[in-house]
Amino acid sequence: MTEFTTNKKVLQFVEESAAITMPDKIVWIDGSEEQRAALKAEACRTGELIKLNEEKLPDCYLHRTKPNDVARVEDRTFICCKNEADAMPHSIVKWMDPQKAYDLAYGIAKGKMQGKTMYVIPYSMGVVGSPFSKIGIEVTDSIYVVLNMMIMTRVGKMCLDALGEDGYFIKGFHCSCDIDPENRYIMHFPEDNTIISVNSAYGGNVLLGKKCFALRIATNLGKNEGWMAEHMLILGCKRPQDKETKYIAAAFPSACGKTNLAMLIPPEEFRNKGYEITCVGDDIAWIRVGEDGRMWAANPENGFFGVAPGTNESSNFNALAATKKGTIFTNVAHNPADNTVWWEKLTKKAPDFMYDWTGEPWTPAMNADGKHPAANPNSRFTAPAENCPCISPEFNSKEGVPLSAIMFGGRRATTTPLVYQSRDWNHGVFVGSIMSSETTAAATGAVGVLRHDPMAMKPFMGYSVADYFQHWINMGKKAEKAPKIFNVNWFRQDENGNFMWPGFGDNMRVIDWILDRCDDKVEAQETAIGYLPYAKDINISGADIDAATLEKLLVVDKARWSAEADEIEAYYNENFGDKLPKEIRENLATLKANCSK
Ligand code: OXD
Ligand code: MN
């Protein structure tokens, strides 16, 4: 029994978890600073965390995972519902019978917390008391998980109070076990609102509020309750010509610059005119249709679990600033000279001597061939959102923010132009469904391989992808003033493999066109794939790009698109067959017809 709650289902979940894992003791996380300080001290004592330079990085810590446990494991991620057809077709996550899954996972976790403490974390995704908020209870044997959850979510007794005697919650069961990659499982039971994670300690697999709850379980909740859970950043854009801040949600695959876009600093010319970007979220958006017919979005998280390599003063000043206090760094390099951290591209020159992400001595010469970076390519920072200098004043809004536009974008060296607008909502859903992108280090497996990633949700959809497309179509019908849908590609390359678009802050120039389109303030050219800007309407003054290159970025090559359409058709047929919504198939037919004209 505990003084924390009388909710019988919570108590039962905790008791049952303890009966399986047999911890020496159970500690409830109350969200207090005292408890947090004690946990940090204990983790430093055991070596789970290394305390960093208090003057340069106050209240910051370094953590190293096992080398076999540095990314999400998509091929070991399961949706476990009774009827396989409810989860499938799913192009990446697998299905398992729920009873088989419970037996397997609980068998693996049996007795594995002996000699350890089981922590019980009550947390909320979303501002407690808002219509978006959903409560979770995660049990874990890892202090690292507790401390990360305290940054990434809203943790404490208020979550139990919000649940009351009988409210429903998402059960999260995490047991580090032996960090055995052969017995690593990330399992989701949407019918029981349960998540199980065994044999991992890497964030994306164990901070169960994030991908597991806020995306895979939440997509199911959204389908049943009529809202959407998406892998999207949310940004606010203030422009001198607009009366109000406009909001955009944007979906990109992992490690494709969502955090950078969400915290963008506009180019000087724009800043001088009064343009400003504020960040509501960098990874996940929960979206509901408001009474006014607009779509309203909220970020269910409370912190940033960002990719460290590549983050620096110029690529993302705001993210770097957010990591300067109260941050946990995972798998970055340790600079013993001043007890700080380092990762590739943090500074132009690497320090002369460091410990790499595995804790081994490292010098820049060891990485002459680029194969031995000091920081793991998927190393991360977990930083409180409130640290971010450009955090939106609406970050804690209970209603969320109204969306003017939705953007999709992948990493495409060819074919996809800098930006285009869909003809209507259903065409926009089609545009999201055909997203493909080159793979990154955020998941295990080869990097740089082009793969389909519909809505950047391929690894995160909690049910059949075809049903998920249908849900998008239904949501468009429900929202009388649905946002306009766009596709962007910052990653187009020239014949020599150089990026053609400067990206980062200059993406403001594209956002500006997008918002003008939302207000019908600028004409566009109708092409085979949708509406494209006239080059004159993208303001490139002061940018490191010439007019000829911009023209090239706005070309729609019908031959390439025709080949792309054939490939999309084959992908649809192979993966979704008859389950593909007719609206999507119709848009494919239009694309094919347009390309052959
Ligand atoms: C993330 C991811 O950590 O997408 O956000 O992998
Ligand atoms: Mn992500």
Side-chain angles (χ1 to χ4, degrees), residues 72 210-211 215 231 252-255 258 283-284 380 460:
R72 287 183 289 98
K210 195 172 179 62
K211 305 300 186 183
L215 289 175
H231 192 206
F252 293 82
S254 309
K258 280 212 303 297
D283 194 40
I284 297 176
R380 301 279 179 147
F460 307 124

Side-chain angles (χ1 to χ4, degrees), residues 95-375:
W95 172 83
M96 196 185 288
D97 170 73
Q99 199 50 56
K100 186 174 160 206
Y102 282 123
D103 291 348
L104 177 65
Y106 289 153
I108 290 172
K110 196 158 178 46
K112 289 289 186 194
M113 290 193 196
Q114 277 171 30
K116 295 172 120 186
T117 300
M118 183 173 88
Y119 301 96
V120 183
I121 315 170
Y123 66 99
S124 171
M125 299 312 291
V127 179
V128 179
S130 89
F132 287 92
S133 151
K134 302 269 178 209
I135 305 293
I137 309 286
E138 176 165 352
V139 297
T140 178
D141 54 1
S142 157
I143 296 183
Y144 170 77
V145 168
V146 174
L147 294 174
N148 273 272
M149 287 292 283
M150 289 180 93
I151 297 173
M152 293 305 296
T153 73
R154 292 150 173 102
V155 168
K157 188 167 176 319
M158 75 284 189
C159 302
L160 293 167
D161 296 343
L163 267 187
E165 286 290 311
D166 210 27
Y168 89 83
F169 60 97
I170 309 301
K171 298 175 197 161
F173 175 98
H174 168 242
C175 186
S176 311
C177 302
D178 309 305
I179 315 291
D180 169 8
E182 300 305 321
N183 278 304
R184 183 168 298 152
Y185 290 97
I186 318 298
M187 295 163 159
H188 307 74
F189 303 77
E191 287 148 354
D192 306 339
N193 285 334
T194 297
I195 304 157
I196 298 181
S197 165
V198 289
N199 272 308
S200 176
Y202 165 74
N205 299 327
V206 299
L207 308 181
L208 299 183
K210 195 172 179 62
K211 305 300 186 183
C212 299
F213 175 170
L215 289 175
R216 298 194 192 98
I217 292 289
T219 46
N220 280 279
L221 299 174
K223 174 176 62 124
N224 298 336
E225 298 169 4
W227 53 278
M228 301 160 91
E230 299 300 328
H231 192 206
M232 289 180 177
L233 66 93
I234 310 166
L235 62 80
C237 181
K238 209 162 101 196
R239 304 191 304 165
Q241 64 268 47
D242 298 331
K243 277 201 225 74
E244 291 166 348
T245 300
K246 301 262 174 63
Y247 295 93
I248 300 179
F252 293 82
S254 309
C256 284
K258 280 212 303 297
T259 307
N260 293 346
L261 186 62
M263 300 177 191
L264 173 156
I265 298 181
E268 196 180 347
E269 182 180 324
F270 284 72
R271 282 201 312 274
N272 291 343
K273 286 189 200 146
Y275 280 70
E276 194 192 339
I277 297 283
T278 46
C279 171
V280 182
D282 79 326
D283 194 40
I284 297 176
W286 284 1
I287 303 174
R288 290 171 175 273
V289 178
E291 277 170 16
D292 59 1
R294 294 190 287 179
M295 286 189 175
W296 290 72
N299 170 12
E301 302 190 281
N302 203 21
F304 308 116
F305 183 61
V307 178
T311 306
N312 58 44
E313 291 259 337
S314 57
S315 69
N316 195 336
F317 172 88
N318 287 313
L320 194 62
T323 66
K324 294 294 180 199
K325 58 177 190 219
T327 293
I328 299 175
F329 297 93
T330 303
N331 292 341
V332 298
H334 187 207
N335 183 354
D338 61 354
N339 191 21
T340 58
V341 287
W342 192 85
W343 51 77
E344 273 58 34
K345 296 205 184 137
L346 173 61
T347 50
K348 285 216 177 79
K349 196 173 159 302
D352 293 336
F353 175 83
M354 286 186 296
Y355 294 101
D356 72 7
W357 65 275
T358 66
E360 292 298 318
W362 184 94
T363 59
M366 291 167 73
N367 192 32
D369 59 0
K371 292 204 177 116
H372 186 168

